[in-house]
Amino acid sequence: LNKKHEKIALSPLQSTRMEEMERIVLTKDLYYAIERNELYLEYQPQHHIDTNKVIGFEALIRWKHPILGEIPPAKFVPLAEKTGLIIRIGNWVLKTACEELKRLHTAGYTWLRMGVNLSASQLKQPDFAAQIKNILSDLEIWPSKVDIEITESMMIEVERVLPVLQELHEYGVSISLDDFGTGYSSLGYLTKFPINQIKIDQSFIQRIGHLEDEMVIKTIIAMAQILHLNVIAEGVETEEQLTFLQQEQCNEVQGYLYSKPIPAAQLLNYMD
Ligand code: C2E
Ligand code: CA
Ligand code: CA
Ligand code: CA
């Protein structure tokens, strides 16, 4: 029995090879995932912190692999980025999320906003702003109802990214800085780039109760107020966290305390 067990245990080198093989297989399968309808979106509600009203949803990509089952985005999005597949996948996400938003608007929930996560390679396309504009004008969606979520690391390539963001900003698209506080947070970014909203990273929210992390959150919110930026907290799981964020006058919240990401088919139900 012992010997058998020894055989199964993988050496560090072997497990690295396994991971490498898994990456290769997943990358190949991902190539066909769109046309085989294996990708889909879930939507996590975002609530106004005081009135509780639903102000919008964040679209989050999902992949149901035919054999391996659900693969988390943290696993396949980086692969898609490495291979360039993220461009096609990102376009699909954008279009699908906007179509869903249009359905919600048509059903009467005209104030709702849709958050869409972008990757660096999408933003670096010179015609990216034009692509979004096309989707929004085709669907007749008010640009301010679409909120693109970018991260600080994407802003490093200022010359390529800034003109795209400026064009989108002028068109009226809302821009959020995602995972705020985790990157190479530079205050310069906040004033140089046309940002509308900051999303406080969930790692800070999960450590509410610890003085240092509460100080960070307070500082982020104070700074956002000075710069007239909207603040949303993500990963809110407990009443204690919510109470703290209410006291500190955070504007919006998103997290399991309200709802996990939900399938498209349940969106109207959630609004009722
Ligand atoms: P993110 O943009 O920071 O998204 C927030 C993640 O936190 C989501 O994980 C969400 O399901 C999860 N979450 C929400 N509320 C809670 C909570 O209360 N507690 C905890 N523990 N987690 C919560 P998910 O869906 O697995 O996505 C992971 C990451 O994958 C995203 O992080 C984003 O960076 C990336 N991603 C997801 N969809 C897309 C997409 O369409 N395009 C791109 N480029 N990236 C995406
Ligand atoms: Ca996000
Ligand atoms: Ca985030
Ligand atoms: Ca993240």
Side-chain angles (χ1 to χ4, degrees), residues 189-202:
Y189 287 147
L190 282 183
T191 50
K192 186 167 192 173
F193 286 80
I195 305 294
N196 300 90
Q197 170 168 278
I198 289 174
K199 297 192 81 172
I200 306 178
D201 190 68
Q202 40 184 287

Side-chain angles (χ1 to χ4, degrees), residues 44 58 61-62 73 93 117 178-179 202 234-235 237 255-256 261:
Q44 189 175 37
E58 177 181 2
I61 194 167
R62 302 287 178 253
V93 169
N117 291 285
D178 203 356
D179 302 344
Q202 40 184 287
E234 63 177 357
E237 293 181 353
Y256 295 167

Side-chain angles (χ1 to χ4, degrees), residues 125-134 163-165 167-168 171:
Q125 304 169 92
D127 67 338
F128 183 67
Q131 291 176 34
I132 294 200
K133 287 182 186 179
N134 276 336
V164 174
L165 291 179
E167 189 179 347
L168 287 171
Y171 191 63

Side-chain angles (χ1 to χ4, degrees), residues 178-236:
D178 203 356
D179 302 344
F180 191 78
T182 60
Y184 307 91
S185 300
S186 149
L187 294 184
Y189 287 147
L190 282 183
T191 50
K192 186 167 192 173
F193 286 80
I195 305 294
N196 300 90
Q197 170 168 278
I198 289 174
K199 297 192 81 172
I200 306 178
D201 190 68
Q202 40 184 287
S203 58
F204 297 112
I205 308 304
Q206 261 134 41
R207 293 194 297 260
I208 285 174
H210 298 88
L211 206 60
E212 298 82 6
D213 297 282
E214 292 187 354
M215 283 296 290
V216 172
I217 295 173
K218 285 182 186 185
T219 308
I220 292 176
I221 294 175
M223 194 179 61
Q225 282 170 347
I226 291 169
L227 297 170
H228 303 291
L229 301 174
N230 201 45
V231 186
I232 179 158
E234 63 177 357
V236 178

Side-chain angles (χ1 to χ4, degrees), residues 83-102:
T83 52
L85 273 177
I86 195 69
I87 302 281
R88 277 211 304 154
I89 292 176
N91 283 341
W92 175 84
V93 169
L94 205 54
K95 195 161 165 285
T96 308
C98 287
E99 285 167 357
E100 207 51 59
L101 179 65
K102 184 66 189 184

